[in-house]
Every structure is written in structure tokens, then in C-alpha cells.
Amino acid sequence: MSARRQEEKWATNYLRNLESCFDGQLDPVSFRKIVNSYSIYIPMICDAFMGLRGKKTSAEEKERMLLYFICSTLFDDFCDKRELLPAQLEAIAIGDGQYQATRLEERMFIHANLTLRDFVPDKSYYDQVARAVLQAQIDSDKQFDPAISQEELMRITLGKGGYSVLLCHFYFDAPACAIEQACWYRLGGIIQLTNDLFDIHKDLEQGSVTLPNRMINAYEFSDYFMGEVAAIEKAIAMLPYDTSKRQDFLSGVMSICSFGSLALHRLRELQGQEERLPNLRQLPRKALVVDMEQATNIWYCIKFTYRKTKAWQLSIAAAN
């Protein structure tokens, strides 16, 4: 929490200075989302990945991550608010900077996007992943179709989260091996599932179909979620780093996974011994919101992380 407060302060000052350079102000909601996302990612995700190399995220890497969250937040706004057509989204996200920006948000996005791309050595692969992010965002419009298939919904969900987070690995000084990239991608899918679990009520109100708000049985969905967690555990076991660094990394990843597990724990309590969940549309918002300030919820996440780390440690010891 101390690290997060420090990152929040730095990010806020950086964004204020950037607004001054562009002679304008971001929407306060977008501003806070950029700062919050950045301040969570640095200690929980970026430092976890850098810990594999025995280091913390550098000042230069932190700046790139803040630029990334400027891009991701503003791009989400462009899509969610239907502010740009698909052709315009492609021009602003994948183009060479020739897009004719008319607003502060567009100019700031282009600045951050081109600055990041200029840093990346492997621009061919980078552009491939960026296009996958763009396509996932465009495909997410299909989630407003109640008849969307479960397979298509799963593809969009994991791809949207996976490719968005995979993009982050390009912004660090040291290159990531294929297995490490797989960890970035799988973690992104888990984060997207977790976000959807936390946003069940909001998505239902907006008419967006997600895997969580379509679920019928919380126990079966928990098995699916833990299958994704098991997959990233196996990938971590294959990383080319010593056991202590992999274990520390696993603890960081499991702390992120614990939020999704907590949300599903609450849904299982709602279902109880019944064969299926109650109709989620008929439940009050309070029943679906997860309050991360409650001590019992914090304690659940701590216990989940400890148990998963201990079990992984024992499995590695047994394998050796």
C-alpha cells in the first residue's frame, strides 16, 4: 500500500505536467483510472516480473508503463463511448501518427502510443500484438448480442485481457522469453475474468454479456477459473530462473488470482447447496459487489495466496 501511494503521487504529477504540455485536462474519471491502474500494476505485476531478474521496475520502465495506461484507458474510452469508428480506431492505434487528432485525448493517445512504439526493438511482433488488441476491442461489441456463443465469448474474453497485458512486456529493458510471454498472456486472461466477476452488476445493467454474468453454476465456473490459474502455475514452473525467484513470482501472481477466487467464493455462498445460482439480474447490487476494504475479504486473499504458494513449493520439491 505504501508503494502504491508513492506511485499514485508520481503518476498524478506526471499526468498534470502532460496535461499542461497539451494545454487541456483529461476527464477526471479517465485521469483517476490511469493513475489507479498504473499504481496497482507497478508493485503487483511489474515488480513481480522484474523480480525474476532480481530487480525492481526502473524509473524509465515505470514511465513507459504510465504511457501504456494512458493508451489503454483512452482507447477503452474511444471504444466504450463509441467516439471513433473502427477505421478511425485502426488509424489512431496502428497508424504512423498521421491521424488528424481533434481532441486532447486523441493527441495524448498518439503521443504516448508513438513514444512507446519508438522504444520497442521488435516492431513487427509489437504491431502484431497491437493489432490483436485492436481486434479484440472491436470484437467485444459482439458481447452486446445475447445470442453470442460460449466459445466466441471465451475467445474474446481471454484474448482481450491476454493481448492487452502481453503488450506490457515490450516496455521493459530486458527481453522476455517465450514462457515469460505466455505468463503475461495468461495473467491477462485471468485479470479480465476477475474484472468481469467484479463488474457483474454493471455489465448486466449495460447489456454486455460476459462469462461471469452468464454463469449458471458458481462451482462449475470456479473449476474453470482455477483451471486457468493451474495453467499459469505450470508455466511459472517452466521459467528459466532459480526456484526462489520463481516462488516469489508465483506468490505475486497468486495474490492477483486471489481476487477472482474471492469473487467466486462469494458467488458460491449465494448458490449454497442449490443446483444453480439465483437469477443474477434479480439480485441487488450489494449482493454482487466485492468490498476489498473488508477485513474478511483481505484475509481470504492472504490465505489463498499462502496456500497456493505453499502447494506450488511442495510440488516443485517433489518433482526434484
Side-chain angles (χ1 to χ4, degrees):
M1 293 300 295
S2 175
R4 182 178 176 184
R5 284 193 293 269
Q6 291 176 5
E7 298 300 342
E8 282 180 345
K9 182 178 180 181
W10 179 85
T12 298
N13 291 335
Y14 187 102
L15 273 183
R16 292 296 182 210
N17 290 333
L18 197 58
E19 285 179 325
S20 296
C21 292
F22 284 93
D23 193 26
Q25 288 187 327
L26 292 169
D27 176 87
V29 174
S30 299
F31 190 103
R32 286 309 309 165
K33 184 178 178 182
I34 293 169
V35 171
N36 288 340
S37 299
Y38 164 84
S39 64
I40 291 171
Y41 256 64
I42 293 300
M44 291 196 70
I45 297 177
C46 299
D47 283 348
F49 274 95
M50 291 306 100
L52 291 169
R53 295 168 173 78
K55 64 186 285 291
K56 292 283 190 180
T57 311
S58 70
E60 294 78 13
E61 290 165 337
K62 289 180 179 181
E63 182 175 5
R64 290 179 214 122
M65 286 306 303
L66 183 57
L67 291 174
Y68 163 80
F69 280 110
I70 290 173
C71 287
S72 65
T73 300
L74 295 182
F75 193 73
D76 283 347
D77 288 346
F78 298 154
C79 295
D80 295 344
K81 298 175 183 178
R82 304 292 197 275
E83 294 177 335
L84 298 175
L85 297 172
Q88 293 174 305
L89 289 173
E90 181 174 3
I92 196 172
I94 311 296
D96 56 3
Q98 298 305 308
Y99 176 85
Q100 297 300 309
T102 60
R103 300 178 296 137
L104 166 72
E105 290 81 5
E106 295 172 353
R107 289 186 284 120
M108 194 175 289
F109 177 92
I110 290 171
H111 161 74
N113 192 34
L114 292 180
T115 301
L116 290 171
R117 189 177 186 277
D118 285 344
F119 166 77
V120 176
D122 188 352
K123 290 181 172 51
S124 176
Y125 182 34
Y126 181 74
D127 289 345
Q128 178 184 336
V129 176
R131 284 191 176 278
V133 174
L134 171 65
Q135 190 59 54
Q137 283 286 5
I138 293 173
D139 287 347
S140 65
D141 278 350
K142 298 177 182 179
Q143 292 183 246
F144 290 94
D145 177 7
I148 185 173
S149 71
Q150 195 74 355
E151 293 74 17
E152 181 75 347
L153 187 56
M154 190 177 298
R155 181 189 67 80
I156 292 172
T157 301
L158 297 181
K160 184 164 59 176
Y163 286 119
S164 294
V165 173
L166 177 61
L167 208 58
C168 296
H169 92 273
F170 289 102
Y171 308 136
F172 294 87
D173 296 331
C177 67
I179 301 173
E180 198 171 338
Q181 290 178 37
C183 289
W184 280 103
Y185 183 86
R186 287 194 173 278
L187 183 59
I190 290 170
I191 290 172
Q192 185 62 52
L193 286 169
T194 300
N195 289 342
D196 289 346
L197 282 164
F198 274 63
D199 290 343
I200 288 176
H201 188 271
K202 183 193 77 173
D203 290 331
L204 285 172
E205 282 191 328
Q206 295 177 349
S208 175
V209 181
T210 67
L211 290 171
N213 71 31
R214 184 185 259 184
M215 85 171 79
I216 296 174
N217 189 307
Y219 295 93
E220 291 178 359
F221 197 89
S222 294
D223 290 341
Y224 165 69
F225 181 83
M226 292 310 298
E228 293 299 309
V229 174
I232 199 171
E233 288 180 283
K234 291 179 181 177
I236 293 171
M238 296 169 62
L239 285 168
Y241 300 100
D242 64 54
T243 302
S244 63
K245 287 185 173 59
R246 284 183 292 148
Q247 182 177 311
D248 289 344
F249 176 63
L250 178 111
S251 293
V253 170
M254 289 303 109
S255 68
I256 297 165
C257 296
S258 71
F259 299 124
S261 177
L262 168 63
L264 285 163
H265 168 70
R266 288 173 52 84
L267 288 168
R268 291 194 302 272
E269 287 184 332
L270 280 174
Q271 181 173 338
Q273 300 302 313
E274 302 297 323
E275 293 185 0
R276 56 187 296 163
L277 277 162
N279 189 330
L280 297 179
R281 295 180 180 277
Q282 296 177 358
L283 293 175
R285 178 179 179 275
K286 184 178 180 181
L288 296 170
V289 170
V290 182
D291 183 0
M292 285 312 303
E293 293 187 2
Q294 285 188 5
T296 53
N297 290 342
I298 295 172
W299 183 236
Y300 178 95
C301 291
I302 292 173
K303 289 192 296 183
F304 175 92
T305 302
Y306 173 80
R307 287 197 302 267
K308 295 298 291 181
T309 303
K310 190 66 176 178
W312 186 87
Q313 183 183 31
L314 293 173
S315 69
I316 293 298
N320 294 334

